[in-house]
Amino acid sequence: MKRIEDLKIRIEKERTSLNQMVKDKKADEAYQQSLLVDALIAEYIGLTNE
């Protein structure tokens, strides 16, 4: 259960970072960050469906 809570916190942190990159028009970094956020969300979904 701790892993799920840690993931929720990390997703929020990484999503905030992604939003800032988009605002700053850093397209390459924003794309890489979006891949990271997607992977974290997929991991979270996998854990919640177990």
Side-chain angles (χ1 to χ4, degrees), residues 11-24:
I11 289 168
E12 185 58 36
K13 177 182 167 254
E14 299 297 347
R15 190 175 282 169
T16 299
S17 178
L18 173 59
N19 289 343
Q20 187 60 48
M21 288 176 191
V22 170
K23 287 179 186 175
D24 294 342

Side-chain angles (χ1 to χ4, degrees), residues 2-49:
K2 172 119 171 71
R3 178 71 180 144
I4 292 173
E5 292 302 316
D6 289 346
L7 271 173
K8 286 169 72 172
I9 292 167
R10 180 144 183 233
I11 289 168
E12 185 58 36
K13 177 182 167 254
E14 299 297 347
R15 190 175 282 169
T16 299
S17 178
L18 173 59
N19 289 343
Q20 187 60 48
M21 288 176 191
V22 170
K23 287 179 186 175
D24 294 342
K25 298 182 180 176
K26 297 180 179 178
D28 292 335
E29 292 97 337
Y31 175 72
Q32 292 301 317
Q33 188 70 11
S34 71
L35 295 177
L36 173 63
V37 171
D38 288 348
L40 291 171
I41 291 170
E43 183 179 350
Y44 175 82
I45 290 169
L47 288 173
T48 58
N49 286 336

